[in-house]
Each structure stands twice: as structure tokens, then as C-alpha cells.
Amino acid sequence: MRRRSVLTGLGAGAALIGARISARAASPMDLSPLLPEGTRAEAIMDALPGKQPLIKLAFRPPNYETPIDAFAEAITPNDRFFVRYHLAGIPDIADLEKAWSVKIGGDAANKPLEVSLDELQRQFPVVEVEAVNQCSGCRRGLFSPHVPGVQWGYGAMGSAVWRGVRLKDVLARAGVRAGAVEVAFGGADGPVMEGTPDFAKSLPLEKAMDESTIIAFAMNGAKLPHLNGLPIRLIVPGWTGTYWMKHLNEINILSKPFDGFWMQKSYRIPKGMFPVDLPFTTQAEEKTVPITEMVVNSVIGNVPDGSRQPAAGFTIQGVAWDRGHGIKQVEVSTDGGANWKPASLREDHGKYAFRAWRFETGKLQPGAATVMARATSNAGETQAAQLKPNPAGYQNNVPQKIAITLA
Ligand SMILES: Nc1nc2c(c(=O)[nH]1)N[C@H]1C(S)=C(S)[C@@H](COP(=O)(O)O)O[C@H]1N2
Ligand SMILES: [Mo]
């Protein structure tokens, strides 16, 4: 959309060449055995500038996932937070830190205006929300049969405390006309090749006006990392990461459904397959709807697949999350799903955040064992026992099966 003048930062790769010296092969324990062979063979641990080593799945555009051990705690550190881009033209830090502004317009805005970063931070009430950013395709690589797309394992997600201003307060300044149905968003990154559609997304007006939907300028008490949206990004709690526009510089209030490629041709799921509270009716078609709300899910963070654990007993730790009802219960099985026992839920960080949990196994039989976890939300939804196949490989919430040896 509104391109910055310099789009060579990561596109040219210059800043990254030095960083790649630190690359090492990902240990088999970082990679689920369910991933395609090719993905397992090629994935390496690689530190992008300002980041700890993450699992590199693609470099141009950068798609890097968080190693699973980060998910033993409720907050994902900024320097371990995953990175996902559709397009390789990413402005560099210097360019993003120049005077920034976001344009607010569209045919259903009363008075289009431009708000600078400084005005955003000073003229609107500042709020915080702790929320999970999960890519729609998180765990796509574990689909069987495999489906095309970035072969993400468990780590295309993270949870953070986001600080910013409410989108609805900013929209109010532009004046939302009666008849507005959607709000569309653009960021400063863009395609490097002619003909590639620019990345732009829209929300139904009701979600855009939600108290919890914010324009964030800080993450876990620090400014946004370069590759997580510097200087501002959209936070859409409960909804998958695709709507969380990074390097936000354009907002359009619309009287008609937004017709961009990334709404109408991609990020769609079979209608009725997954539960939603707020249907995206203006983008619904006969058979498909946009992916919106996440599904209830959990992950075990501290028990690597293939690891040895003490038969005398050990602690299993992980996180659980859902689409904004909050987590009611997490159960753990150490016998491949035959028996389940409740885990203890740790501190509640809010209904959109990771809910950390822990489970003491007690004494177990030596030998092979399979560890699993399963979360249930306050809406009564539980992780799927079987994968719900869909062409883009979204919403995989089948419980992990972690094979361990007890000794
Ligand atoms: N500007 C911009 N914003 C974007 C994207 C992008 O490609 N460009 N990708 C979206 C997708 S699909 C996801 S999953 C999240 C990933 O956020 P992260 O890179 O901060 O982890 O950003 C979203 N916002
Ligand atoms: Mo995504």
C-alpha cells in the first residue's frame, strides 16, 4: 500500500549475511517427527538481527518459528518471537524509525486524516492487552497428508503484553459513517516482484470497534522488534495472526467488503468447520469463510520428542489458549491417551493470553511412554481428537504425541 521509499532492508539481505554465520542445524528435538522429511533436513537454527536463533523455514521472505521450549511459560520473549512475512520488501530499521504516520480514510470515513506516531502515543488513552499471535498455518507441517504452504511446526505463535491505543478511538477521530461495514489495513512492506498482490487485510466493523483491538507500539515493555512490526502493528485478540498488520500505515473505513487477494482468495476455510462467535458475514461465500477465531489448543514446552525422562517422576509444563473464552482445564496423559489427569493451571494472564500449566507425573513405569496434553476452554470446546482436513492446513489442534523413554 503506502510504500516507504527504501525497501531494500531485508530484501537485499545485506543486514542478514553476517547473522547467518551463527546458523546451525536444528536439533531433531526441535522438529516434530510429523514434519515432511525435506523440512526436517533443511531447517536450521538461524539468528536474525536482534533475535535469538529461531527455526528457519524460509529466508526470503523470512519465515522463522519459535523453538518449542519457549512454550513452558506464558510470555514469549521478544527476541524469540516468531517472524512471518508474505513479501520480501521489508523496510529497514532506519526507514521505519523516521517520522511515522498512519493514514485513515476510506469511503466511509467522515474526515480522512493522518495521525503521526507521536500523536498516537499522546492523544489517545494508552491501554494494554496480553494476547496470543498465532499464524493460521501454525502446525500446517504436521498435516497428514501434507498440504502446500510454509511447513510450520508448533512455533508459529507467541503471546505478549501489547501496549498501544484502541483502534476504535482512532477510527472515531476519522468519523465512522453509518453504512460502514469493514475496516481495511495496509503495512509498509511490499512485493519485490511486479504482479505479486500487496498484503492487505480487513476486519468486520464490529471486531475493529472491539475494546481489545488495538494499534500497538510496544511489546513486553519494549518497542516492537523490527520484524514484528516496528513501529506500530495491529493487535486482534482471539483472531489468527494474519489480521495483525505490521508496519501499519494505512487504515480504510469501507462501505463495501474489501476485495483484496488476501481476503478473497487466501486465508479461507470451509464454512461451519470451526466455531466462531462473530461471523465475518461480509466476506462469506457459499462454501468458504475467512479464517478468523483461533481454536482451543495447548502445547507441551519442556518435554522434547525422543527425550529420556526420569521414571521417578518429572514436571510437564506447557501453555494453552483459545479464541478468547479462556482456559477451563488442561489434562495430561502419560500413556498415549488412555488415561487423563488434570494439570494445575498457573496464573491467569487474561482470556486472550497463554495460560501456563504444569503437571507432576509422579512415579512411572520405566520404558517407552507417550505424553499428551489436551485443553478445554470456558466455552466447553476441547482439542480435536482427529485432524479436520482443509486445503490450506489451518486450525490444527490435535493433541501432540510426544514419545519419550523413562529410565
Ligand atoms: N505488514 C505485514 N503484516 C503482517 C504480515 C505480513 O506479511 N506483512 N503477516 C501476517 C501474518 S500471516 C502473521 S501470522 C503475523 C505474524 O506476526 P509476527 O511476524 O510478528 O510473528 O503477522 C501478520 N502481519
Ligand atoms: Mo499467518
Side-chain angles (χ1 to χ4, degrees):
M1 295 207 135
R2 291 172 63 218
R3 306 281 298 276
R4 295 243 114 186
S5 52
V6 184
L7 288 174
T8 49
L10 280 181
L16 295 178
I17 290 164
R20 302 183 75 195
I21 293 167
S22 66
R24 66 163 170 85
S27 102
M29 287 184 181
D30 293 323
L31 303 170
S32 164
L34 301 178
L35 288 167
E37 269 313 307
T39 306
R40 286 171 59 84
E42 278 165 34
I44 57 163
M45 298 295 287
D46 188 14
L48 289 162
K51 293 278 185 184
Q52 296 290 320
L54 302 176
I55 302 167
K56 174 189 141 195
L57 297 168
F59 181 66
R60 204 180 138 87
N63 286 300
Y64 281 63
E65 77 172 72
T66 302
I68 201 164
D69 65 88
F71 305 119
E73 299 295 336
I75 297 272
T76 315
N78 292 7
D79 63 2
R80 301 194 78 199
F81 210 93
F82 83 108
V83 172
R84 197 276 186 265
Y85 279 93
H86 294 82
L87 307 166
I90 304 167
D92 59 27
I93 295 181
D95 199 27
L96 292 163
E97 288 193 324
K98 278 183 207 147
W100 192 265
S101 66
V102 52
K103 262 193 173 160
I104 304 137
D107 73 325
N110 267 330
K111 45 172 193 350
L113 77 161
E114 199 159 337
V115 180
S116 73
L117 177 57
D118 192 61
E119 288 166 340
L120 208 65
Q121 289 172 321
R122 286 161 193 268
Q123 297 180 1
F124 299 89
V126 172
V127 295
E128 279 190 348
V129 60
E130 189 166 334
V132 176
N133 170 10
Q134 184 187 28
C135 182
S136 311
C138 190
R139 304 191 184 187
R140 175 188 290 128
L142 316 178
F143 263 62
S144 169
H146 292 301
V147 295
V150 179
Q151 297 299 300
W152 297 111
Y154 294 99
M157 62 167 194
S159 187
V161 179
W162 309 95
R163 187 165 70 242
V165 299
R166 289 190 190 95
L167 176 62
K168 70 173 185 140
D169 293 344
V170 177
L171 295 178
R173 177 131 346 156
V176 179
R177 287 206 179 132
V181 294
E182 291 186 12
V183 182
F185 306 90
D189 50 326
V192 286
M193 271 180 306
E194 200 91 23
T196 310
D198 197 5
F199 186 67
K201 297 293 293 189
S202 69
L203 291 174
L205 185 67
E206 195 178 338
K207 188 67 178 173
M209 299 296 278
D210 191 290
E211 286 286 308
S212 304
T213 301
I214 71 169
I215 299 172
F217 43 75
M219 173 177 178
N220 293 330
K223 66 183 176 183
L224 297 176
H226 178 201
L227 300 176
N228 300 111
L230 184 76
I232 53 172
R233 81 176 303 171
L234 200 65
I235 304 301
V236 189
W239 286 34
T240 65
T242 182
Y243 298 97
W244 298 43
M245 185 62 65
K246 301 190 275 191
H247 320 297
L248 178 69
N249 64 3
E250 184 167 5
I251 301 177
N252 287 307
I253 309 170
L254 305 176
S255 68
K256 291 193 183 64
F258 178 62
D259 64 358
F261 174 88
W262 301 98
M263 291 306 300
Q264 301 203 327
K265 301 282 176 254
S266 110
Y267 284 104
R268 301 191 67 95
I269 48 174
K271 192 183 252 176
M273 188 172 260
F274 305 101
V276 292
D277 286 356
L278 174 61
F280 201 159
T281 51
T282 50
Q283 293 285 344
E285 279 170 14
E286 199 192 323
K287 297 208 167 102
T288 69
V289 291
I291 184 172
T292 56
E293 299 171 35
M294 293 183 285
V295 289
V296 63
N297 217 338
S298 68
V299 67
I300 295 168
N302 73 331
V303 184
D305 207 285
S307 63
R308 269 178 165 310
Q309 302 291 341
F314 62 102
T315 307
I316 301 175
Q317 266 179 246
V319 294
W321 67 99
D322 80 321
R323 58 199 177 94
H325 291 277
I327 294 301
K328 181 162 89 188
Q329 163 175 262
V330 174
E331 299 157 288
V332 173
S333 171
T334 53
D335 58 9
N339 294 283
W340 296 88
K341 288 185 190 154
S344 356
L345 298 183
R346 294 165 66 193
E347 195 193 341
D348 187 354
H349 287 226
K351 62 184 183 174
Y352 293 116
F354 277 157
R355 185 74 187 260
W357 53 267
R358 60 193 297 147
F359 179 81
E360 303 294 341
T361 65
K363 203 170 172 329
L364 298 166
Q365 287 295 321
T370 300
V371 176
M372 299 171 72
R374 165 174 92 185
T376 302
S377 75
N378 290 322
E381 290 152 11
T382 301
Q383 291 178 239
Q386 238 131 55
L387 193 66
K388 296 186 180 168
N390 62 91
Y394 295 149
Q395 307 282 54
N396 180 354
N397 66 346
V398 176
Q400 281 165 288
K401 283 194 167 152
I402 300 178
I404 58 168
T405 305
L406 293 159

